[in-house]
Amino acid sequence: MNQKAIRIAVLKFAHETVTFLPSDTTIDDFTYPGSPAKGEALLASEPDSYIGGFVKVAREFDGVELVGIESPLWSKRDTGSGWITNDAFEHFVGRMVEELAAQGPFDGVYLSLHGAMGVRGVPRPEAEIARRVRAAVGPKVFITGTFDPHGNEDEEFLRHADMAFTVKYFPHYDMYLQGERAARMLVRAIRGDFKPANVTVKVPIISPTVLQWTGASAWRDVVQLALTWEARAPDVYVNVFFGFPWCDGPDAGMTIQVQTNGKPELARKVADDIAGTAWRRRDELLNAATIYQIAEGVTLAREAVAKGASPVVLADYSDRSGSATWLLAEIIRQDLGKTLIATIADADAVAELLAAGIKPGDAFVRAIGGKFDESAGEPVRVSGTVLAVSNSASGMAEDAWIVVGFGRGNVLVLSPVLVQVKELVTLRTRGIEPADFDVIAIKSRVHFRRGFDDSGFAKTILLVEPAQPFMGTVHLQSLPYKFVELEKYYPYGAPAFG
Ligand SMILES: [Zn+2]
């Protein structure tokens, strides 16, 4: 059967903003070789993630034309910078809207978003993007988005857009799948086969991300309930936003969205069931992980090694700048051996050392890390030998790693920006074999479980934090919120719900 050709615009603007970081995210952070991207380059920019899945399925339908609208790719400082400037937001969204007008008309728009974007002067950035895109393309065009479960969203996005599809797992295993789903549902909606009927429910729970691992109860159970609802009725699509408390906005906290094919009562029933379950189990959600102070964690790591329960992962969940030295200092103080520290971010040190032509075999004596703000601690002096100077495939200075051997078989990786090591392959491609170490100290909350836990690699996993409640802390009451009213959320207040 011949069907009318349809045109779909593809846009991306995604950032997970830690609004408490002192350095704003600017146009420059999103501008580098390859970014912004448009046309086929945008469509090919993330083959294993949201856009890759979207493009794959959209092109399985006959008569679908995809148009890549100029979009910034992921920030070169990853999540290591604060508020996006109003300038940057206006610049990139302004370009998108201009291009939508120039290249239209369209039948559909796909927005590849994150959900925890923080922009100065824009309270709900993703909803604002949807609002402006709606104004540009008109009321009849279907708009869908994909999201990260750390999004802070409320009903505002779906006021302007028709559909949203959010990753279910943390680590985020199903980004490609949600991209595929967004494409299929968008084409179906355009062709009249799906009539979006949505319900959004805010659940007044705010939680630090280190607790939100979906490999363990009760987070796993809430996600499983969402999957069960998707399985038991045709055309039910559930989004569970866990929320991202380091983005200070009015829509923080947990959100459930349910989408159905023209059945608002069913959407309501499913949303209430999942929201009610999350609320009933709020204590379990808030106590889903054990966290040790760094000194105790390092001692436990020593004991685990002595008992043969290695490799041990020491995961400093709290470091939001990448420069924190608390764990490194304690590893030196307790004289751990065969320990890999990956990484300490120190852009100045990396730039100076590269400029000086540092090479393997050189002596290394230097105080590194810290300084960034009080949460990063003091610089720590390390004396050793340079083992390697490596760049990743991109060849960009931002990716340079300086690998230093010191102490009793220890290896320290110095990087210019925050690095969250999620996979063993990240280390192996830089010539570091993780199995050579008894202890691996990393900066990650949950994503590392992909490579270190779900794979069975680590025998012992210890989540650690500094004694002081710094920026990345689970003790959210110590964060200087301007827009989040903590007393409206469990466990900081006693909100009425259900
Ligand atoms: Zn996330």
Side-chain angles (χ1 to χ4, degrees):
M1 192 176 80
N2 279 332
Q3 289 191 301
K4 185 178 158 293
I6 59 180
R7 299 185 81 227
I8 296 173
V10 176
L11 292 77
K12 176 186 170 93
F13 199 4
H15 194 251
E16 184 182 85
T17 313
V18 178
T19 56
F20 304 109
L21 285 169
S23 147
D24 279 8
T25 307
T26 64
I27 293 174
D28 181 63
D29 288 310
F30 294 103
T31 307
Y32 50 88
S35 175
K38 63 193 288 187
E40 210 47 47
L42 176 66
L43 302 181
S45 64
E46 45 182 53
D48 299 330
S49 189
Y50 300 101
I51 292 179
F54 185 90
V55 170
K56 177 75 177 78
V57 164
R59 287 184 168 161
E60 286 176 2
F61 290 90
D62 288 334
V64 171
E65 183 195 353
L66 300 180
V67 180
I69 300 294
E70 185 182 295
S71 303
L73 303 187
W74 199 246
S75 164
K76 61 188 173 193
R77 283 196 285 169
D78 194 56
T79 58
S81 56
W83 287 108
I84 295 176
T85 61
N86 200 272
D87 244 21
F89 183 79
E90 292 297 335
H91 171 77
F92 291 114
V93 178
R95 293 280 302 146
M96 287 171 182
V97 166
E98 276 170 29
E99 241 198 280
L100 281 172
Q103 301 212 38
F106 294 101
D107 304 288
V109 178
Y110 165 48
L111 305 172
S112 183
L113 305 171
H114 180 287
M117 177 182 274
V119 179
R120 291 200 184 275
V122 182
R124 294 172 176 79
E126 289 84 8
E128 179 63 14
I129 292 169
R131 190 185 70 79
R132 294 195 197 185
V133 167
R134 169 64 71 206
V137 297
K140 292 198 179 119
V141 175
F142 284 94
I143 301 175
T144 188
T146 52
F147 286 87
D148 186 284
H150 293 120
N152 293 332
E153 293 298 317
D154 55 17
E155 61 285 346
E156 200 58 26
F157 178 79
L158 287 174
R159 241 196 266 291
H160 307 293
D162 301 283
M163 293 172 283
F165 299 93
T166 301
V167 153
K168 289 209 171 46
Y169 304 99
F170 188 19
H172 302 335
Y173 289 125
D174 54 326
M175 295 189 285
Y176 186 88
L177 181 73
Q178 299 305 334
E180 288 187 305
R181 185 174 265 187
R184 181 157 187 270
M185 303 316 295
L186 183 59
V187 173
R188 283 182 60 195
I190 292 167
R191 295 203 162 141
D193 182 41
F194 187 81
K195 304 212 179 315
N198 310 312
V199 167
T200 300
V201 176
K202 285 297 285 184
V203 187
I205 294 173
I206 193 163
S207 59
T209 49
V210 67
L211 304 180
Q212 299 167 348
W213 177 36
T214 55
S217 283
W219 292 93
R220 176 171 58 198
D221 305 336
V222 173
V223 168
Q224 184 57 43
L225 183 60
L227 290 166
T228 303
W229 270 114
E230 291 185 345
R232 67 192 266 190
D235 276 336
V236 168
Y237 303 96
V238 181
N239 299 330
V240 181
F241 286 98
F242 311 152
F244 187 72
W246 288 280
C247 184
D248 184 9
D251 48 1
M254 182 185 268
T255 304
I256 310 294
Q257 284 175 341
V258 178
Q259 304 165 98
T260 62
N261 192 358
K263 294 180 177 162
E265 318 76 34
L266 176 62
R268 168 59 62 189
K269 178 178 166 185
V270 174
D272 284 346
D273 184 46
I274 297 169
T277 299
W279 181 248
R280 212 162 50 244
R281 300 189 64 181
R282 58 194 181 278
D283 265 333
E284 290 171 77
L285 293 170
L286 266 302
N287 291 286
T290 304
I291 293 161
Y292 302 97
Q293 303 240 315
I294 279 174
E296 186 187 6
V298 171
T299 302
L300 290 171
R302 284 183 72 103
E303 291 170 6
V305 171
K307 283 187 295 197
S310 56
V312 178
V313 168
L314 279 170
D316 174 1
Y317 78 83
S318 75
D319 182 9
R320 288 279 170 187
S321 69
S323 302
T325 54
W326 307 98
L327 184 53
L328 169 64
E330 189 62 24
I331 286 167
I332 293 171
R333 201 183 71 76
Q334 295 198 32
D335 190 29
L336 292 199
K338 284 180 76 178
T339 296
L340 170 67
I341 299 106
T343 71
I344 304 288
D346 189 333
D348 295 344
V350 170
E352 277 174 38
L353 291 164
L354 290 180
I358 192 170
K359 58 185 188 307
D362 288 354
F364 183 98
V365 183
R366 196 179 174 106
I368 48 110
K371 298 177 299 215
F372 186 82
D373 64 7
E374 61 164 8
S375 77
E378 294 295 320
V380 168
R381 189 178 173 80
V382 172
S383 314
T385 306
V386 177
L387 300 178
V389 179
S390 76
N391 276 35
S392 80
S394 80
M396 286 163 61
E398 282 85 6
D399 289 325
W401 281 19
I402 293 171
V403 184
V404 177
F406 74 98
R408 299 184 299 108
N410 297 329
V411 169
L412 166 76
V413 179
L414 204 56
S415 62
V417 293
L418 168 71
V419 176
Q420 186 176 170
V421 179
K422 305 170 191 171
E423 302 269 15
L424 301 176
V425 69
T426 307
L427 299 167
R428 287 181 175 140
T429 52
R430 314 279 194 137
I432 298 168
E433 175 47 56
D436 291 346
F437 297 91
D438 286 338
V439 178
I440 300 175
I442 53 175
K443 310 285 181 66
S444 182
R445 290 157 287 284
V446 171
H447 280 302
F448 73 94
R449 295 199 185 261
R450 181 188 288 255
F452 292 87
D453 191 356
D454 292 353
S455 67
F457 175 82
K459 300 288 182 291
T460 304
I461 289 172
L462 300 162
L463 300 170
V464 295
E465 64 179 2
Q468 304 87 329
F470 292 128
M471 177 168 52
T473 182
V474 296
H475 310 288
L476 302 180
Q477 70 275 17
S478 48
L479 295 176
Y481 285 114
K482 286 202 188 78
F483 304 104
V484 170
E485 297 175 67
L486 268 190
E487 66 282 3
K488 292 188 173 168
Y489 298 88
Y490 184 82
Y492 300 95
F497 186 77

